[in-house]
Amino acid sequence: GISGMIWRQEKIAVVGVNGAGKSTFLKVLAQKTEATEGSITLGANVSVGYFSQHSMDVLDGNRTVFETLQEVMPQAHIGTIRNLCAAFLFQGEDADKRISLLSGGEKSRVVLATLLARPLNFLILDEPTNHLDLQSRGILLKELQKFTGTVLLVSHDRHFLHSLVDHVMEIDHGEMRLYDGDYDYYLRKSLALQK
C-alpha cells in the first residue's frame, strides 16, 4: 500500500519501530532484493549508492585504505585521494593501513568515503552511523549536508536526523506515512496523531 515519489535533492529519514521493514524497504529501493509486489521506477540518470551493515564485507582486506579509494577514483590525483582519506580520518600512515587490520568503525568510514567519491546522485544509507564515533559522525553529517544529490536513510541517531533531513517516511504496521517537513515537524505531527 505504499505509493510515493522521491524528488531530487530531498534528504529523507525512514523511521519506525524495529522490525517494521525499514531495511527491507531500503533494499528494495536499492534493488538489492525483489519487491513482493508492486514496482519501483528510477528516474533517468539516477545513479544509486547503497550502504548497509553488510557493505563492509565487500571490501578487499588485502588493499590499503588509499588503494580502495584510488580504485573508485582512478582519474584522481594522489593529493585528491589523500585529502579524501584525511577527510574520513585516515591521515598520513593510516591511509596505508590494510583493510583487514581496520576496526568496524574504520571499515564503515572507508565504505562511506567510497560512496561519496563516486559520481552518485542518490544515496540509500541503512544505519550509516553505527560503529562510528562522535567525530566520524560529525564528518559524515557535514559530507551529507554538502551532498547535492538525494539521500534516503535509516538512523537511530536523533541529532543526525535533526541536522540533516527535510522529509520523513514512517513505516508502521505495514503502512507508510509521509511527512513533508523536517524531523522536528515529524515529531510534532506524530505526537498530535497519537493524542
Side-chain angles (χ1 to χ4, degrees), residues 139-157:
I139 289 167
L140 177 60
L141 179 59
K142 281 183 191 159
E143 291 299 318
L144 291 177
Q145 287 169 333
K146 288 190 303 190
F147 182 67
T148 57
T150 304
V151 177
L152 187 77
L153 81 151
V154 170
S155 177
H156 290 98
D157 184 330

Side-chain angles (χ1 to χ4, degrees), residues 30-132:
Q31 300 178 326
K32 299 296 182 188
T33 192
E34 290 290 319
T36 51
E37 60 183 62
S39 64
I40 292 169
T41 305
L42 290 177
N45 301 317
V46 172
S47 182
V48 177
Y50 174 65
F51 174 88
S52 75
Q53 297 310 305
H54 305 293
S55 298
M56 295 178 280
D57 299 340
V58 302
L59 293 172
D60 182 343
N62 294 319
R63 291 195 174 189
T64 65
V65 172
F66 180 86
E67 290 167 344
T68 302
L69 292 178
Q70 189 175 37
E71 183 182 16
V72 298
M73 306 170 65
Q75 305 299 319
H77 295 287
I78 290 172
T80 302
I81 299 167
R82 289 266 175 209
N83 285 343
L84 183 61
C85 288
F88 280 85
L89 303 178
F90 295 105
Q91 296 162 331
E93 292 178 4
D94 287 342
D96 298 319
K97 274 188 184 174
R98 296 231 171 271
I99 298 295
S100 61
L101 302 175
L102 301 180
S103 70
E106 289 171 324
K107 287 178 183 174
S108 282
R109 292 199 320 257
V110 172
V111 172
L112 291 164
T114 63
L115 284 177
L116 290 166
R118 291 185 173 116
L120 303 171
N121 55 20
F122 184 22
L123 295 178
I124 299 174
L125 309 172
D126 191 1
E127 296 287 357
T129 58
N130 277 9
H131 306 298
L132 296 184

Side-chain angles (χ1 to χ4, degrees), residues 179 185-195:
Y179 294 86
Y185 175 83
Y186 155 71
L187 291 175
R188 285 193 310 274
K189 289 292 187 180
S190 64
L191 280 174
L193 284 175
Q194 293 171 10
K195 289 182 180 177

